[in-house]
Amino acid sequence: MYLIHHYEMERKLLAHELEDMYTQQLVMTASDYLIDASGNSDKEQLLFTGNFEKGKVVGTAENQGEKWRMEIEAESGLYHRKVQFIYEHGAGIFQWEEES
């Protein structure tokens, strides 16, 4: 009986770890898209939305002169992650803030 209980606990823990990993992947997907799109854009704001098998993600980028302020929200199962950061071409990402 102990082995079955132990196995079930391990399985649940792994499932939670996978969902957390999926939200991180969704954040990175939106970040990559927004960073790439901001380099070729003269728009004031960019939007990225995606509904994937494992979750959904919404990201916005706001032009602030030389810098872009980006905000991304991702959900997968019970996990929710919100990320905000500033991106400057040539300098990279800074002021990374994350909520889970």
Side-chain angles (χ1 to χ4, degrees):
M1 191 66 153
Y2 170 78
L3 288 177
I4 293 173
H5 177 71
H6 182 70
Y7 170 77
E8 285 297 314
M9 294 300 291
E10 288 291 322
R11 188 181 63 76
K12 288 178 183 178
L13 179 61
L14 180 59
H16 287 290
E17 288 175 359
L18 286 173
E19 284 184 13
D20 186 43
M21 183 183 69
Y22 293 145
T23 58
Q24 185 64 31
Q25 286 178 335
L26 292 171
V27 165
M28 291 300 116
T29 298
S31 297
D32 287 346
Y33 172 83
L34 290 171
I35 287 170
D36 288 346
S38 68
N40 302 325
S41 179
D42 57 353
K43 295 181 180 178
E44 291 297 313
Q45 190 170 30
L46 300 170
L47 175 66
F48 175 83
T49 58
N51 288 309
F52 302 95
E53 181 180 342
K54 299 293 183 182
K56 63 182 179 177
V57 63
V58 175
T60 59
E62 183 180 314
N63 190 339
Q64 298 179 334
E66 297 291 316
K67 300 175 184 172
W68 287 81
R69 182 181 182 288
M70 301 192 183
E71 185 173 304
I72 299 166
E73 283 191 66
E75 292 181 19
S76 177
L78 300 175
Y79 283 85
H80 177 263
R81 186 170 293 200
K82 184 175 182 179
V83 174
Q84 299 175 6
F85 61 92
I86 305 294
Y87 178 78
E88 183 176 355
H89 295 284
I93 293 174
F94 55 98
Q95 292 182 343
W96 181 277
E97 298 173 17
E98 186 170 339
E99 299 173 22
S100 293

